[in-house]
Coordinates of all heavy atoms in Angstrom, one line a residue:
W1 N -23.1 87.8 -38.0 CA -23.5 86.4 -38.2 C -23.4 85.9 -39.6 O -22.9 84.8 -39.8 CB -24.9 86.1 -37.6 CG -24.8 86.2 -36.1 CD1 -25.3 87.2 -35.3 CD2 -24.3 85.2 -35.2 NE1 -25.1 86.9 -34.0 CE2 -24.4 85.7 -33.9 CE3 -23.6 84.0 -35.4 CZ2 -24.0 85.0 -32.8 CZ3 -23.2 83.3 -34.3 CH2 -23.3 83.8 -33.0
A2 N -23.8 86.7 -40.5 CA -23.7 86.3 -42.0 C -22.2 86.2 -42.4 O -21.8 85.2 -43.0 CB -24.4 87.3 -42.9
S3 N -21.4 87.1 -41.9 CA -19.9 87.1 -42.3 C -19.2 85.9 -41.7 O -18.5 85.2 -42.4 CB -19.3 88.4 -41.8 OG -19.9 89.5 -42.4
T4 N -19.4 85.6 -40.4 CA -18.7 84.5 -39.8 C -19.3 83.2 -40.3 O -18.5 82.2 -40.4 CB -18.8 84.6 -38.2 OG1 -20.2 84.6 -37.8 CG2 -18.1 85.8 -37.7
L5 N -20.5 83.1 -40.6 CA -21.1 81.9 -41.1 C -20.5 81.6 -42.5 O -20.0 80.5 -42.8 CB -22.6 81.9 -41.2 CG -23.3 80.7 -41.8 CD1 -23.0 79.5 -40.9 CD2 -24.8 80.9 -42.0
I6 N -20.5 82.6 -43.4 CA -19.9 82.4 -44.7 C -18.4 82.0 -44.6 O -18.0 81.0 -45.3 CB -20.1 83.6 -45.6 CG1 -21.6 83.8 -45.9 CG2 -19.3 83.5 -46.9 CD1 -21.9 85.2 -46.5
G7 N -17.7 82.7 -43.8 CA -16.2 82.4 -43.7 C -16.0 81.0 -43.1 O -15.1 80.3 -43.6
N8 N -16.8 80.6 -42.2 CA -16.7 79.3 -41.6 C -17.1 78.1 -42.5 O -16.5 77.1 -42.5 CB -17.4 79.2 -40.2 CG -16.5 79.7 -39.1 OD1 -15.7 79.0 -38.6 ND2 -16.6 81.0 -38.8
V9 N -18.1 78.4 -43.3 CA -18.5 77.3 -44.3 C -17.4 77.1 -45.3 O -17.1 76.0 -45.6 CB -19.9 77.7 -45.0 CG1 -20.1 76.9 -46.2 CG2 -21.0 77.6 -44.0
V10 N -16.8 78.2 -45.8 CA -15.7 78.1 -46.8 C -14.6 77.3 -46.1 O -14.0 76.4 -46.7 CB -15.3 79.5 -47.3 CG1 -14.0 79.4 -48.1 CG2 -16.4 80.1 -48.1
G11 N -14.2 77.7 -44.9 CA -13.1 77.1 -44.2 C -13.4 75.6 -43.9 O -12.5 74.7 -43.9
A12 N -14.7 75.3 -43.5 CA -15.1 74.0 -43.1 C -15.0 73.0 -44.3 O -14.6 71.8 -44.0 CB -16.5 74.0 -42.6
V13 N -15.3 73.4 -45.5 CA -15.2 72.5 -46.6 C -13.8 72.0 -46.8 O -13.5 70.8 -46.9 CB -15.8 73.1 -47.9 CG1 -15.5 72.2 -49.1 CG2 -17.3 73.3 -47.8
N14 N -12.9 73.0 -46.8 CA -11.4 72.7 -46.8 C -11.0 71.8 -45.6 O -10.3 70.9 -45.8 CB -10.6 74.0 -46.9 CG -9.2 73.7 -47.0 OD1 -8.7 73.2 -48.0 ND2 -8.4 74.1 -45.9
S15 N -11.5 72.2 -44.5 CA -11.1 71.5 -43.2 C -11.5 70.0 -43.3 O -10.7 69.2 -42.8 CB -11.8 72.2 -42.0 OG -11.6 71.5 -40.9
Y16 N -12.7 69.7 -43.7 CA -13.1 68.4 -43.8 C -12.1 67.5 -44.5 O -11.7 66.5 -44.0 CB -14.5 68.2 -44.4 CG -14.9 66.8 -44.5 CD1 -15.4 66.0 -43.5 CD2 -14.7 66.1 -45.8 CE1 -15.7 64.7 -43.6 CE2 -15.0 64.8 -45.9 CZ -15.5 64.1 -44.8 OH -15.8 62.7 -44.9
F17 N -11.8 67.9 -45.7 CA -11.0 67.1 -46.6 C -9.5 67.0 -46.1 O -8.9 65.9 -46.1 CB -11.1 67.5 -48.0 CG -12.4 67.2 -48.6 CD1 -13.3 68.3 -48.8 CD2 -12.8 65.9 -49.0 CE1 -14.6 68.0 -49.3 CE2 -14.0 65.7 -49.5 CZ -14.9 66.7 -49.7
M18 N -9.0 68.1 -45.6 CA -7.6 68.1 -45.1 C -7.5 67.3 -43.8 O -6.6 66.6 -43.6 CB -7.1 69.5 -44.9 CG -6.8 70.3 -46.2 SD -6.1 71.9 -45.9 CE -4.4 71.4 -45.4
N19 N -8.5 67.5 -42.9 CA -8.5 66.7 -41.6 C -8.7 65.2 -41.8 O -8.1 64.4 -41.2 CB -9.5 67.3 -40.6 CG -8.9 68.5 -40.0 OD1 -7.8 68.6 -39.6 ND2 -9.7 69.6 -39.9
K20 N -9.6 64.9 -42.7 CA -9.8 63.5 -43.0 C -8.6 62.8 -43.5 O -8.2 61.7 -43.1 CB -11.0 63.3 -44.0 CG -11.4 61.9 -44.2 CD -12.6 61.8 -45.2 CE -13.1 60.4 -45.3 NZ -12.2 59.4 -45.6
A21 N -8.0 63.4 -44.5 CA -6.8 62.8 -45.2 C -5.5 63.0 -44.4 O -4.7 62.0 -44.2 CB -6.7 63.3 -46.6
F22 N -5.2 64.2 -43.9 CA -3.9 64.5 -43.4 C -3.9 64.4 -41.9 O -3.0 63.8 -41.3 CB -3.5 65.9 -43.9 CG -2.2 66.4 -43.3 CD1 -1.0 65.9 -43.7 CD2 -2.2 67.5 -42.4 CE1 0.2 66.3 -43.1 CE2 -1.0 68.0 -41.9 CZ 0.2 67.4 -42.3
T23 N -4.8 65.1 -41.2 CA -4.7 65.1 -39.7 C -5.0 63.8 -39.1 O -4.2 63.3 -38.3 CB -5.7 66.2 -39.2 OG1 -5.4 67.4 -39.8 CG2 -5.6 66.3 -37.7
F24 N -6.2 63.3 -39.3 CA -6.6 62.0 -38.6 C -6.4 60.8 -39.5 O -6.6 59.7 -39.0 CB -8.1 62.2 -38.2 CG -8.3 63.3 -37.3 CD1 -9.0 64.5 -37.6 CD2 -7.7 63.3 -36.0 CE1 -9.1 65.5 -36.8 CE2 -7.9 64.4 -35.1 CZ -8.6 65.5 -35.5
R25 N -6.0 61.0 -40.7 CA -5.8 59.8 -41.6 C -6.9 58.8 -41.6 O -6.6 57.6 -41.5 CB -4.4 59.2 -41.3 CG -3.3 60.2 -41.5 CD -2.0 59.7 -41.1 NE -1.0 60.7 -41.3 CZ 0.2 60.7 -40.7 NH1 0.6 59.8 -39.9 NH2 1.1 61.7 -40.9
S26 N -8.1 59.3 -41.7 CA -9.3 58.5 -41.6 C -9.6 57.8 -42.9 O -9.5 58.4 -43.9 CB -10.5 59.3 -41.2 OG -11.6 58.6 -41.2
E27 N -9.9 56.5 -42.8 CA -10.3 55.7 -43.9 C -11.8 55.5 -44.0 O -12.3 54.8 -44.8 CB -9.5 54.3 -43.9 CG -8.0 54.5 -44.1 CD -7.3 53.2 -44.0 OE1 -8.0 52.1 -44.1 OE2 -6.1 53.2 -43.9
A28 N -12.5 56.1 -43.0 CA -13.9 56.1 -43.0 C -14.5 56.7 -44.2 O -13.9 57.6 -44.8 CB -14.5 56.7 -41.7
S29 N -15.7 56.3 -44.6 CA -16.3 56.8 -45.8 C -16.8 58.2 -45.6 O -17.1 58.6 -44.5 CB -17.5 55.9 -46.2 OG -18.5 56.0 -45.3
L30 N -17.1 58.9 -46.7 CA -17.7 60.3 -46.6 C -19.0 60.2 -45.9 O -19.3 61.0 -45.1 CB -17.8 60.8 -48.1 CG -18.4 62.2 -48.2 CD1 -17.4 63.2 -47.7 CD2 -18.8 62.5 -49.7
G31 N -19.8 59.2 -46.3 CA -21.1 59.1 -45.6 C -21.1 58.8 -44.1 O -21.9 59.3 -43.4
E32 N -20.0 58.2 -43.7 CA -19.9 57.8 -42.3 C -19.4 59.0 -41.5 O -19.7 59.2 -40.3 CB -18.9 56.7 -42.2 CG -18.7 56.1 -40.8 CD -17.6 55.0 -40.8 OE1 -17.3 54.4 -41.9 OE2 -17.2 54.7 -39.7
T33 N -18.6 59.9 -42.1 CA -18.0 61.0 -41.3 C -18.6 62.4 -41.6 O -18.5 63.3 -40.8 CB -16.5 61.1 -41.6 OG1 -16.3 61.2 -43.0 CG2 -15.8 59.9 -41.1
W34 N -19.2 62.6 -42.8 CA -19.6 64.0 -43.2 C -20.7 64.5 -42.2 O -20.6 65.6 -41.8 CB -20.1 64.0 -44.6 CG -20.5 65.3 -45.1 CD1 -21.8 65.8 -45.4 CD2 -19.6 66.5 -45.3 NE1 -21.7 67.1 -45.8 CE2 -20.4 67.5 -45.8 CE3 -18.3 66.7 -45.1 CZ2 -19.9 68.8 -46.0 CZ3 -17.8 67.9 -45.4 CH2 -18.6 69.0 -45.9
W35 N -21.7 63.7 -41.9 CA -22.7 64.2 -41.0 C -22.2 64.5 -39.6 O -22.6 65.5 -39.0 CB -23.9 63.2 -40.9 CG -23.6 61.9 -40.2 CD1 -23.1 60.8 -40.7 CD2 -23.7 61.7 -38.8 NE1 -22.9 59.8 -39.7 CE2 -23.3 60.4 -38.5 CE3 -24.2 62.5 -37.7 CZ2 -23.3 59.8 -37.2 CZ3 -24.2 61.9 -36.4 CH2 -23.8 60.6 -36.2
R36 N -21.2 63.7 -39.1 CA -20.6 64.0 -37.8 C -19.8 65.3 -37.9 O -19.8 66.1 -37.0 CB -19.7 62.9 -37.4 CG -20.4 61.6 -37.1 CD -19.4 60.6 -36.7 NE -20.0 59.3 -36.6 CZ -19.6 58.3 -35.9 NH1 -18.4 58.4 -35.3 NH2 -20.2 57.1 -35.9
F37 N -19.1 65.5 -39.0 CA -18.3 66.7 -39.2 C -19.2 67.9 -39.2 O -18.9 68.9 -38.5 CB -17.5 66.6 -40.5 CG -16.7 67.8 -40.8 CD1 -15.4 67.9 -40.3 CD2 -17.1 68.9 -41.6 CE1 -14.6 69.0 -40.5 CE2 -16.4 70.0 -41.8 CZ -15.1 70.0 -41.3
I38 N -20.3 67.9 -39.9 CA -21.2 69.0 -39.9 C -21.8 69.3 -38.6 O -21.9 70.4 -38.1 CB -22.4 68.7 -40.9 CG1 -21.8 68.4 -42.3 CG2 -23.4 69.8 -40.9 CD1 -22.0 69.5 -43.3
L39 N -22.2 68.2 -37.8 CA -22.7 68.4 -36.5 C -21.7 69.1 -35.6 O -22.1 70.0 -34.9 CB -23.2 67.0 -35.9 CG -23.9 67.0 -34.6 CD1 -25.2 67.8 -34.7 CD2 -24.1 65.6 -34.2
V40 N -20.5 68.6 -35.5 CA -19.5 69.2 -34.7 C -19.2 70.6 -35.1 O -19.1 71.5 -34.3 CB -18.2 68.3 -34.7 CG1 -17.0 69.0 -34.1 CG2 -18.4 67.0 -34.0
T41 N -19.0 70.8 -36.4 CA -18.7 72.1 -36.9 C -19.8 73.1 -36.5 O -19.5 74.2 -36.1 CB -18.5 72.1 -38.4 OG1 -17.4 71.2 -38.7 CG2 -18.2 73.5 -39.0
A42 N -21.1 72.8 -36.7 CA -22.2 73.7 -36.4 C -22.2 74.0 -34.9 O -22.4 75.1 -34.5 CB -23.5 73.0 -36.9
A43 N -22.1 72.9 -34.1 CA -22.1 73.1 -32.6 C -21.0 74.0 -32.2 O -21.2 75.0 -31.4 CB -22.1 71.8 -31.9
C44 N -19.8 73.8 -32.7 CA -18.7 74.6 -32.3 C -18.8 76.1 -32.8 O -18.5 77.0 -32.1 CB -17.4 74.0 -32.9 SG -16.9 72.5 -32.1
Y45 N -19.4 76.2 -34.0 CA -19.6 77.6 -34.5 C -20.6 78.4 -33.6 O -20.2 79.5 -33.2 CB -20.2 77.5 -35.9 CG -20.7 78.8 -36.5 CD1 -19.8 79.8 -36.9 CD2 -22.1 79.1 -36.5 CE1 -20.3 81.0 -37.3 CE2 -22.5 80.3 -36.9 CZ -21.7 81.3 -37.3 OH -22.1 82.5 -37.7
V46 N -21.7 77.8 -33.3 CA -22.7 78.5 -32.5 C -22.1 78.8 -31.1 O -22.2 80.0 -30.6 CB -24.0 77.7 -32.4 CG1 -25.0 78.3 -31.4 CG2 -24.7 77.6 -33.8

């Protein structure tokens, strides 16, 4: 659990910025999307 959590947190930070800019080309603000990103990421992880 510690290993997968650490690995996923490191990957998730990169994922947020790459997916926001490149994948979904979202113009939404950091404040508008970051909490959703964390919620989805945490639920998917567990």
Side-chain angles (χ1 to χ4, degrees):
W1 287 107
S3 298
T4 57
L5 180 63
I6 292 166
N8 275 275
V9 167
V10 170
V13 170
N14 180 66
S15 174
Y16 174 79
F17 291 104
M18 287 185 75
N19 281 316
K20 183 177 186 314
F22 175 67
T23 304
F24 300 111
R25 298 176 180 159
S26 175
E27 295 179 12
S29 70
L30 180 71
E32 187 181 342
T33 56
W34 183 247
W35 70 270
R36 291 178 190 205
F37 181 84
I38 300 255
L39 184 63
V40 169
T41 299
C44 291
Y45 169 76
V46 170

